Amino acid sequence: MQTQLLPVTPSALALAGTLIRAGELVAFPTETVYGLGADALNADAVKRIFEAKGRPGDNPLIVHISAVEQLSPLIAGAPSPTARRLMDACWPGPMTLIFPKSERIPAAVTAGLDTVAVRFPVHPAAQALIDAARRPVAAPSANRSGRPSPTAAAHVMEDMAGRIPLILDGGPCDVGLESTVIDVTGETPRILRPGGVTPERIAQICGDVQVDDAVLRPLREGERPRSPGMKYRHYAPSGALTIVQGEPGAVVAAIRRMYDDALTDGRRPLILALTHRLPAYGDRRCLPLGDSADEMARAMFAALRQADALDADILFSEAVPAEGVGLAVMNRLERAAGFNIVSV
Ligand code: TXA
Ligand code: MG
C-alpha cells in the first residue's frame, strides 16, 4: 500500500473523511501526539488499527469526538457531576475521560471492558477530520506498538509507511505527550495516565484527585492495572536507558562516569540532558531535552526516536521533578527505561 502524506487542506480532509467512512485508517495530528484513526462504530475498521500497530488486542482505544453533543450516544447514562466539571473546564483539550459504555461501541474498541475512553481534542485538524468522517473516531497514538509516540508526521511515516493510505501533516504537536486519562466513574476523579492536564489542575476543578499508584512504579507480578496500557513496555528506544536523578552536580558527575565507562567497553552511549547542562558534558554525545517539564514533554519522544537514528546502544537521561507536567514526563521516561532508575 502506498502511503500519502498530505498537508491539512479541505481536499485532504475530504479524502480523509471518505477513507474513514470506508473503514480505512488515517493518521492525523492532535495537540498531544499523532493519532491513528478509524470509524469507532465499525468493528472491522477498528481491528485494522490493532493490525497496523501490532497492538495487543486487550489494550482499549480512545474514541475522539468534535463536539460535546456527540458524547451521549457513546456512554451509558449521563456524565457524573465530576465528569461534567472536568468537561466544562478542560474540553476541548488533552484530557480523556472514562465512562460506562453504551451498546453502540464495538467490543474491539474497549477490549471487552464495560467502560469507554472519550476525548474531545482541541487541534483544529483533529476536529475537522472527525467532522469530515461524520462519526466518532477511535484513535491510539500512531506509532508501532512499543515505539515512542509520534509528535511529527515524519515519525508516523517511519512507523506506518506502507501500512495505511493517508497521513495528515499538521506540523509538530504542541503538548508532545498523550492526554491525561481520568476515570470519572467514581466520585473522586482518578488519574490512570498523567498528561498535559495536571493533578494540580484537576484538584482545583474537582476539589480532590487520586493518582493511580501504578503511575510511577512497575506493575506487581500478576497485577491487573485499571488502564490496560500500563502493562506494556512503552516508548522504548532500542538502546538500554538509565534515568539518573539527584542533585544536579552529582547527576552530571555520575552520567559522565557511566558514559565514559560505556565508551571504554566499546558501547555507543548517548546522554539526554537538560539543555542548560549540555556544556557540563563536554564533547560527549548529547541530545537536549529543553529546560522545563513542558519543554521536555515536547522534546522527549522525538529525542528517543533520534537516539535510535544515532544508533545509540546505551542511554543516560536526566530527570525532572514528578510534579505538574513533570509527572507525565517521568511516567513516560520511566516506562521507556523499564524502571531502570539510579539515584545519586
Ligand atoms: O493523547 C492521546 O490520548 C492520544 C491521541 C491520539 O488522542 N491517544 C492515545 O491513545 O494516547 P493510546 O491508545 O496510545 O492510549 C490510550 C490509553 C491506554 O493506556 C489505554 O489502556 C487507556 O488509554 N484506555 C483506553 N480505554 C480505556 C478504558 N476503558 N479504561 C481504562 N483505560 C483505558
Ligand atoms: Mg500509545
Side-chain angles (χ1 to χ4, degrees):
M1 181 187 297
Q2 185 75 5
T3 301
Q4 283 197 80
L5 178 63
L6 298 176
V8 185
T9 60
S11 63
L13 286 165
L15 172 62
T18 306
L19 285 167
I20 298 267
R21 280 196 304 282
E24 300 287 344
L25 306 184
V26 175
F28 62 100
T30 84
E31 66 275 21
T32 57
V33 300
Y34 275 71
L36 181 60
D39 177 353
L41 305 178
N42 176 341
D44 290 328
V46 167
K47 284 187 191 127
R48 292 205 164 132
I49 292 181
F50 288 86
E51 285 163 18
K53 277 185 65 97
R55 182 178 176 107
D58 64 351
N59 193 4
L61 305 177
I62 296 172
V63 178
H64 296 70
I65 57 177
S66 58
V68 170
E69 301 71 60
Q70 295 162 17
L71 176 66
S72 72
L74 308 178
I75 67 174
S80 64
T82 302
R84 269 267 150 233
R85 268 184 225 117
L86 289 168
M87 289 160 57
D88 289 346
C90 301
W91 270 1
M95 179 187 78
T96 296
L97 298 179
I98 308 288
F99 298 95
K101 81 184 257 309
S102 82
E103 299 294 312
R104 299 188 58 189
I105 307 284
V109 171
T110 61
L113 296 177
D114 54 10
T115 52
V116 60
V118 184
R119 178 156 108 82
F120 177 2
V122 73
H123 197 298
Q127 294 184 5
L129 169 80
I130 300 162
D131 289 343
R134 300 198 298 271
R135 55 205 68 190
V137 172
S141 48
N143 51 287
R144 294 267 303 150
S145 203
R147 297 259 294 149
S149 297
T151 53
H155 302 160
V156 183
M157 202 51 150
E158 254 171 46
D159 283 17
M160 292 295 159
R163 296 173 173 271
I164 61 174
L166 177 62
I167 301 169
L168 295 176
D169 185 351
C173 299
D174 234 31
V175 179
L177 294 177
E178 307 87 341
S179 61
T180 308
V181 177
I182 312 172
D183 184 342
V184 287
T185 58
E187 212 166 284
T188 307
R190 178 194 287 271
I191 298 179
L192 303 184
R193 180 180 72 181
V197 175
T198 62
E200 293 82 352
R201 174 101 176 93
I202 298 166
Q204 218 174 45
I205 296 161
C206 298
D208 202 3
V209 65
Q210 290 173 353
V211 180
D212 199 83
D213 69 345
V215 161
L216 282 181
R217 62 162 174 80
L219 288 173
R220 286 182 282 266
E221 188 72 26
E223 179 178 355
R224 267 207 358 218
R226 284 195 180 75
S227 179
M230 297 259 201
K231 81 176 168 205
Y232 299 103
R233 177 143 191 253
H234 253 150
Y235 319 115
S238 314
L241 169 62
T242 300
I243 301 170
V244 184
Q245 58 187 20
E247 280 302 310
V251 166
V252 169
I255 291 182
R256 285 164 57 135
R257 199 167 51 243
M258 289 189 269
Y259 180 104
D260 294 347
D261 287 349
L263 212 54
T264 308
D265 290 346
R267 310 286 297 270
R268 297 181 301 280
L270 177 70
I271 299 167
L272 308 179
L274 299 180
T275 305
H276 72 275
R277 297 216 193 119
L278 290 178
Y281 292 107
D283 58 6
R284 295 173 185 82
R285 200 162 62 145
C286 294
L287 290 177
L289 292 175
D291 280 319
S292 64
D294 284 306
E295 287 177 18
M296 207 156 151
R298 264 193 296 276
M300 188 171 61
F301 285 145
L304 292 173
R305 282 177 181 266
Q306 184 67 18
D308 283 351
L310 293 170
D311 198 30
D313 67 355
I314 182 160
L315 289 85
F316 305 101
S317 181
E318 298 189 343
V320 286
E323 57 197 39
V325 176
L327 179 67
V329 168
M330 293 313 294
N331 168 270
R332 306 307 192 276
L333 198 59
E334 291 183 3
R335 276 168 180 71
F339 294 95
N340 183 16
I341 305 161
V342 175
S343 292
V344 293

